[in-house]
Amino acid sequence: MTDRRGVVARRAEDLSPGVPYVRGWNRARRSAGTLADQLVLLGLDTDFPGLVADVNVFGDGLVQLGTVRPEAAELLAKLIRVGLEAERLATATELPVTTRRKAPVA
């Protein structure tokens, strides 16, 4: 499996010397754990039973969602969209920081 940028390759099954598999897998493990924690909070953990950390042949960490129902994929996409929209609105409503300083009172 390769994405359009060539970053994601097939998963590592036979390890090669000098490839940092543990570093990549550890990063994927942390990310998968973060996602799993959020899915638990949303009550969606049972919808993603195949969520697992993995590593590809180049040592890049991968997070596999596993096989999910279409409804679960749609819900995850909606949650991402809502989160991005909330982030955009929060950024838009922040007050601009003034860089001009007041002159000291004489």
Side-chain angles (χ1 to χ4, degrees):
M1 167 174 82
T2 308
D3 69 343
R4 62 190 166 109
R5 294 183 186 168
V7 176
V8 180
R10 70 183 197 286
R11 58 184 299 271
E13 294 174 359
D14 297 320
L15 306 183
S16 300
V19 179
Y21 297 110
V22 174
R23 184 180 311 139
W25 181 83
N26 195 33
R27 182 163 186 234
R29 184 182 60 82
R30 284 192 311 268
S31 297
T34 300
L35 179 57
D37 291 344
Q38 294 304 307
L39 291 173
V40 167
L41 291 174
L42 295 167
L44 298 175
D45 51 314
T46 57
D47 289 311
F48 295 87
L51 178 64
V52 65
D54 206 345
V55 67
N56 69 15
V57 294
F58 301 118
D60 301 320
L62 306 173
V63 175
Q64 296 186 22
L65 298 179
T67 303
V68 297
R69 296 178 304 113
E71 297 84 8
E74 271 185 49
L75 183 55
L76 183 58
K78 286 178 184 176
L79 289 168
I80 291 169
R81 188 188 77 238
V82 167
L84 289 172
E85 183 67 19
E87 191 175 272
R88 187 187 66 77
L89 289 173
T91 302
T93 59
E94 288 180 2
L95 296 174
V97 177
T98 306
T99 55
R100 195 164 84 179
R101 296 181 184 182
K102 292 182 180 182
V105 178

